[in-house]
Amino acid sequence: MVYDVTTASLHAALRGLSARRGVQAQNIANVDTANYLAQRVDFESALGSALDDVNRGSASAASVARTSPQTTTSLDPTRLNGNNVNLDDEFLAQEQTELAYSTVIEAMSAKFRLMRTAIKGQ
């Protein structure tokens, strides 16, 4: 299997978006749980940093492939029950995540179509 920087980046993005999907579902499920603090997932920072290292020549596709999403606790203000999940924000973020996930899947499909065309020679 050819594993270049583009493929590694797309895989890392899918892992990050998948983790974000799970955290968003968990946040929504705990909207009424007392003292529950919403979680956030960031993978863009690590992925961007790894890609910068590749551009500088100090890293390879393997380092991009090793990036992983980071989960943090939201510092948004809490309600009286100690919970800080905002359903409107979660649903909006969920829609954005789904759009990004679909876009990355389409980019990966296009990459594989291009590879298939190159292999077939047509």
Side-chain angles (χ1 to χ4, degrees):
M1 170 93 184
V2 176
Y3 205 64
D4 60 3
V5 174
T6 302
T7 305
S9 300
L10 293 170
H11 279 133
L14 287 175
R15 278 194 313 276
L17 290 165
S18 181
R20 186 173 287 158
R21 283 170 137 181
V23 165
Q24 289 167 340
Q26 180 180 321
N27 289 344
I28 291 168
N30 285 289
V31 68
D32 291 323
T33 302
N35 299 313
Y36 178 83
L37 297 176
Q39 302 295 300
R40 302 287 179 247
V41 172
D42 176 43
F43 66 91
E44 294 92 347
S45 299
L47 182 55
S49 179
L51 290 172
D52 287 345
D53 291 345
V54 168
N55 287 336
R56 284 193 295 273
S58 61
S60 66
S63 64
V64 173
R66 286 190 300 269
T67 61
S68 60
Q70 301 296 314
T71 302
T72 58
T73 300
S74 171
L75 300 176
D76 292 343
T78 61
R79 295 187 303 276
L80 292 177
N81 69 353
N83 184 306
N84 70 349
V85 175
N86 180 318
L87 273 182
D88 291 337
D89 290 347
E90 293 299 327
F91 285 135
L92 178 61
Q94 198 174 38
E95 287 298 316
Q96 291 171 334
T97 300
E98 291 304 315
L99 286 171
Y101 195 89
S102 295
T103 301
V104 173
I105 289 290
E106 181 54 37
M108 188 167 280
S109 295
K111 172 116 173 114
F112 290 142
R113 281 192 304 272
L114 182 63
M115 288 173 59
R116 186 173 38 245
T117 300
I119 290 167
K120 285 183 176 181
Q122 298 176 2

